[in-house]
Amino acid sequence: MMDPQVLERHGLKPDEYERILRFLGREPNLTELGIFSVMWSEHCSYKSSRVHLKTLPTGGPQVLQGPGENAGAIDIGEGLAAVFKIESHNHPSFIEPYQGAATGVGGIIRDIFTMGARPIALLNSLRFGSLDAPGTSRLLEGVVAGIAGYGNSIGIPTVGGEIAFEPSYAGNPLVNVFCLGIAKASDIIKGVASGVGNAVYYVGAKTGRDGIHGATMASAEFDDKSAEKRPAVQVGDPFMEKLLLEACLEVMRTDALVGIQDMGAAGLTCSTTEMGSRGGAGVEIDVSLVPQRESGMTPYEIMLSESQERMLLVVKRGREAEVERIFGKWDLHASRIGEVTDDGFLRVKDRGTVVAEIPNRALTDEAPVYRRPMEPPDYLAEVQRLDLESLDAGASIAPGGASIAPSSNDALLSLLASPTIGSKRWVYRQYDHMVRTNTLNMPGQGAGVVRIKGTDRALALSVDGNGRYCYLDPYRGAILAVAEAARNVACAGARPLGATNCLNFGNPERPAIMWQFAKAVEGIGAACRALDVPITGGNVSLYNETDGRAIYPTPVIGIVGLLEHADRVVGRAFRKTGDAVILLGEGRGELGGSEYVKVVYDLVRGVPPAIDLAAERVLQLLLVALADARLIRSAHDCSDGGLAVTVAECSFDTGGVGVEVSIGGVEVSRRAAVNRAAALFGESSSRVVISAAPENVSVVLARAASAGVPAAVVGRVGGTAIRIAVGGTDAIDVPVDECERAWSTAIERYFAQKVA
């Protein structure tokens, strides 16, 4: 029997070890145990999540490739495909922020070009602890520098994303990276090994000891010894990746490949095993032929290393010299390390001696699958209660502040200065968002939009999530995340076509966490079906907790949509004085889980906003039609901070152009101040603030009425202040410059203080 401590170090349970014995019919050696440990890790096998993920909608006429490959792909017409995926690098980024984030970017880029697509855009979704908490600024600086250092160097623009700050992420930040690429639909290539005798090639960087057991580390909680896991974080080289990208795309144009796969999580082990399993074949390699940058590496270390910028290729017989010549042209060595077999085994040799021999299916299709116990968290009933009648008592914008409800002006300024709502300029100005000259919507202007070169069209992309909502109600929170991502794409004028998800949760062995996960997946499925945006792939990141304290359940949704006319893209900011301001949708004064309740009262309570998915679908289709007909000049969805924050943000980046708005009141409390706050800062869903030229207002309203979307002219662009009346009574009157100053410095002021 294997030493229990050895099993524990490999993340394997005793019953899983018994399962290994049954598959092998013998005791595994250490190399085989290491191979099982990474392939059966949560990160690679999805053993806790697979039963739930199977319920998601993954098909549709636009889907060219669904889950199961390196990335998903959708048909965007004219013989082209949009290839995209989102991945997490949470655990590595906590241990080593710069390299953790950088290699996360490198990994998702490889997933895209492995499919035969040229990457054209990046987004990121980041979560950190409170910005004023110890350690947060160091993590933020390191992660942003890592994303910028890799993306900028390889020449792929980062065109947008999202960042949130909550105490629950202090010990476990989230670093989710999304990449989009373009390919000819007919040229998509898959990660498959087939054809007995076909050569298996290793290309790219040499193998080192960095990243060993990275997949296992990503499948465990953190504790006070997490810093010792630094060797499990990979080190990236974007310049090597650029060469690899170009060489791989050139080889793909030759028809010399059977399949190709990135050596990502679990490195050489995962790529050989999965390619063989997909092709119903075996793969035999000799690790002595693997290029190594360190001396004395064992087969165990070579198979489990997660060194970056490496690919595994299966080459058609007789085409080997051609492939080697192309890689040589790019100063890369293509090393033949093995061949495809017909016995379905992963066979690893070292100078001809077999050191591991395992059935591929035992590592992939036959990996453990758990239907773990589930139960609602004990905290749920309590935190879903929000007593609006008592909100005024003890209200305070800052700790130690006055114990009275703030004025609407003060509340707006405080919300705009909240790092979660405020401008992310400090972050995105470190990214090169114009490289390749395809970017149409600048970061901070709404969904990212990139031109499809050679056509008149463009793609819009957005990533969204709200851990606070999901903490309060994971089912509804997940629905709202899908709806917001799709709505952001529609606000840019694009029709949402497909989605990818990154599901960030705590320890699935705890029934409450597993319940959160299952309900969130259920919500994603309901929203994707209603909005006709199938899931084409994604990533699950579990065990996101430190010392038993889990993050908020945080499903992040990435959505891609198509603009038929690139010159009709719509942005956030008001465009012209005198334009009418129109509200699409209706507010219900919902404050549950809102940024207002968090910032002003330091509470995370209540029920997240309700949503009618049929109404959301109609709203999105209307937005796309209005943009296509050039009837609107701007569009910005209402989300964090409600209508008041949305209206204010529409005035930013305009040179100080203000707006006057008048909205109806809501009745959610006996207190007038609470009703006013609910109307201004409630986060009711399915609402968008648009602006239109006066001569187009009647047409916009008529189209909205025909579609069944509530619409009303609520104001006019002009002046130098943000003025909002509620129920006929003035509620907010603040100069645009003052509001924009609070918003634009929300993050960078923390770093200015540190320098001072």
Side-chain angles (χ1 to χ4, degrees):
M1 178 67 181
M2 186 73 67
D3 184 340
Q5 291 185 335
V6 174
L7 291 182
E8 184 178 355
R9 284 199 303 271
H10 283 79
L12 290 166
K13 302 285 196 297
D15 61 319
E16 292 175 335
Y17 183 69
E18 292 298 323
R19 189 181 179 96
I20 291 171
L21 294 179
R22 290 196 297 273
F23 277 124
L24 295 180
R26 57 177 171 79
E27 293 271 350
N29 61 41
L30 189 61
T31 298
E32 291 170 329
L33 189 73
I35 289 171
F36 270 107
S37 78
V38 291
M39 290 305 296
W40 284 10
S41 69
E42 196 73 60
H43 192 72
C44 291
S45 74
Y46 290 49
K47 57 190 176 186
S48 297
S49 58
R50 200 182 303 182
V51 294
H52 302 286
L53 298 177
K54 285 182 176 179
T55 66
L56 292 172
T58 58
Q62 71 272 43
V63 177
L64 299 175
Q65 177 61 58
E69 271 293 339
N70 291 293
I74 55 174
D75 188 344
I76 55 174
E78 298 188 28
L80 298 176
V83 179
F84 58 95
K85 190 182 181 185
I86 190 169
E87 281 272 7
S88 64
H89 235 220
N90 304 336
H91 288 66
S93 298
F94 176 72
I95 296 170
E96 176 50 64
Y98 183 94
Q99 291 295 349
T103 52
V105 173
I108 194 64
I109 290 171
R110 289 194 300 279
D111 281 341
I112 300 307
F113 74 72
T114 298
M115 298 289 293
R118 178 171 291 280
I120 64 169
L122 292 162
L123 298 176
N124 50 70
S125 176
L126 311 176
R127 300 287 188 284
F128 299 95
S130 300
L131 196 42
D132 55 1
T136 299
S137 61
R138 180 190 68 85
L139 284 171
L140 176 61
E141 284 181 299
V143 165
V144 170
I147 292 170
Y150 209 101
N152 294 355
S153 297
I154 200 170
I156 299 172
T158 299
V159 299
E162 59 155 10
I163 308 177
F165 299 88
E166 290 277 359
S168 82
Y169 304 107
N172 200 126
L174 302 185
V175 178
N176 296 178
V177 184
F178 171 104
C179 188
L180 168 73
I182 299 290
K184 288 184 179 179
S186 59
D187 290 349
I188 289 176
I189 190 164
K190 301 182 180 181
V192 61
S194 62
V196 175
N198 281 336
V200 175
Y201 272 84
Y202 172 115
V203 300
K206 293 181 178 181
T207 293
R209 290 187 171 91
D210 55 318
I212 292 174
H213 271 298
T216 308
M217 177 196 70
S219 306
E221 302 173 29
F222 282 147
D223 54 31
D224 57 6
K225 296 182 179 179
S226 293
E228 298 173 7
K229 299 177 180 178
R230 193 175 298 268
V233 178
Q234 310 92 327
V235 178
D237 180 352
F239 304 105
M240 168 67 79
E241 178 130 332
K242 174 62 174 174
L243 297 175
L244 192 60
L245 184 160
E246 298 298 343
C248 287
L249 291 180
E250 183 170 341
V251 166
M252 290 171 185
R253 291 195 292 270
T254 68
D255 191 37
L257 295 184
V258 174
I260 181 171
Q261 180 147 327
D262 164 42
M263 293 187 214
L268 189 54
T269 290
C270 189
S271 54
T272 50
T273 303
E274 289 189 350
M275 289 182 76
S277 181
R278 290 190 193 111
V283 173
E284 181 177 297
I285 63 170
D286 193 313
V287 293
S288 67
L289 303 175
V290 171
Q292 299 161 48
R293 70 167 185 262
E294 299 183 48
S295 61
M297 290 190 71
T298 65
Y300 179 101
E301 292 172 324
I302 293 169
M303 290 302 294
L304 271 61
S305 168
E306 294 184 10
S307 294
Q308 296 291 284
E309 294 86 37
R310 304 178 301 157
M311 308 289 282
L312 195 71
L313 284 63
V314 175
V315 177
K316 292 179 180 178
R317 192 177 304 182
R319 308 290 293 275
E320 296 90 350
E322 183 180 354
V323 169
E324 291 175 13
R325 190 164 52 248
I326 290 173
F327 280 97
K329 167 190 165 183
W330 291 96
D331 291 327
L332 297 171
H333 293 293
S335 302
R336 182 170 181 163
I337 64 169
E339 64 180 28
V340 178
T341 66
D342 62 359
D343 60 8
F345 274 75
L346 168 65
R347 186 171 294 105
V348 182
K349 295 182 176 181
D350 184 12
R351 294 176 175 82
T353 301
V354 175
V355 294
E357 193 171 48
I358 306 171
N360 270 331
R361 291 182 62 83
L363 295 168
T364 55
D365 299 346
E366 300 299 327
V369 175
Y370 298 125
R371 189 176 290 276
R372 295 195 184 277
M374 299 184 295
E375 63 182 31
D378 293 337
Y379 70 77
L380 204 59
E382 173 63 23
V383 299
Q384 286 185 344
R385 286 197 293 268
L386 176 61
D387 183 3
L388 295 176
E389 304 306 321
S390 64
L391 273 186
D392 284 356
S396 169
I397 287 180
S403 60
I404 59 171
S407 72
S408 298
N409 286 346
D410 290 340
L412 175 62
L413 289 169
S414 294
L415 285 167
L416 293 173
S418 162
T420 294
I421 285 180
S423 170
K424 308 308 184 290
R425 182 181 65 183
W426 181 89
V427 174
Y428 63 67
R429 72 183 179 188
Q430 299 182 49
Y431 304 148
D432 187 341
H433 51 267
M434 286 303 296
V435 64
R436 306 191 68 83
T437 67
N438 291 327
T439 308
L440 298 177
N441 239 14
M442 298 300 105
Q445 281 294 323
V449 181
V450 287
R451 181 186 295 106
I452 306 172
K453 281 189 173 173
T455 76
D456 294 328
R457 300 176 305 151
L459 293 171
L461 46 155
S462 182
V463 288
D464 287 282
N466 191 313
R468 194 183 299 155
Y469 284 170
C470 290
Y471 168 75
L472 296 171
D473 185 335
Y475 176 77
R476 188 177 289 185
I479 288 177
L480 290 166
V482 175
E484 183 174 359
R487 193 183 315 126
N488 282 331
V489 165
C491 282
R495 178 168 57 93
L497 288 178
T500 180
N501 56 43
C502 198
L503 308 178
N504 307 277
F505 289 78
N507 184 345
E509 297 170 52
R510 293 202 279 147
I513 300 293
M514 203 63 236
W515 181 86
Q516 291 175 333
F517 182 89
K519 297 303 289 184
V521 171
E522 185 183 342
I524 291 170
C528 286
R529 290 184 186 92
L531 301 179
D532 192 24
V533 282
I535 295 288
T536 64
N539 172 244
V540 175
S541 176
L542 301 176
Y543 295 94
N544 287 289
E545 48 186 85
T546 299
D547 296 328
R549 294 188 299 275
I551 63 166
Y552 283 163
T554 312
V556 173
I557 308 298
I559 287 188
V560 174
L562 179 67
L563 283 97
E564 294 293 347
H565 304 283
D567 61 348
R568 299 179 192 181
V569 62
V570 178
R572 159 182 60 78
F574 292 140
R575 298 278 298 280
K576 191 173 181 181
T577 295
D579 279 354
V581 178
I582 300 171
L583 175 63
L584 301 178
E586 295 179 313
R588 297 173 296 277
E590 292 159 293
L591 288 170
S594 67
E595 189 74 7
Y596 174 81
V597 171
K598 171 63 177 176
V599 169
V600 176
Y601 300 93
D602 196 25
L603 293 174
V604 178
R605 297 184 73 90
V607 177
I611 183 168
D612 180 333
L613 285 169
E616 178 70 42
R617 171 74 168 155
V618 172
L619 169 66
Q620 293 179 18
L621 292 175
L622 174 64
L623 286 164
V624 174
L626 293 176
D628 188 60
R630 300 183 189 272
L631 291 171
I632 56 177
R633 286 199 169 117
S634 70
H636 190 26
D637 84 305
C638 293
S639 55
D640 296 342
L643 180 69
V645 166
T646 301
V647 168
E649 289 177 337
C650 292
S651 287
F652 300 156
D653 302 312
T654 64
V657 176
V659 61
E660 292 190 9
V661 166
S662 179
I663 59 174
V666 295
E667 295 292 333
V668 298
S669 166
R670 294 190 300 271
R671 295 175 178 268
V674 173
N675 287 330
R676 183 173 63 250
L680 292 168
F681 308 115
E683 296 178 3
S684 297
S685 63
S686 305
R687 293 185 298 162
V688 176
V689 172
I690 61 175
S691 65
E695 62 270 20
N696 289 330
V697 170
S698 60
V699 180
V700 170
L701 295 177
R703 288 204 176 193
S706 177
V709 175
V713 177
V714 295
R716 172 185 169 279
V717 177
T720 59
I722 295 165
R723 296 189 174 95
I724 305 177
V726 177
T729 301
D730 293 342
I732 288 175
D733 187 348
V734 190
V736 173
D737 289 347
E738 185 177 353
C739 289
E740 191 161 6
R741 186 162 51 250
W743 175 82
S744 64
T745 60
I747 291 178
E748 60 192 41
R749 72 174 184 269
Y750 288 90
F751 297 96
Q753 290 171 358
K754 191 170 71 169
V755 171

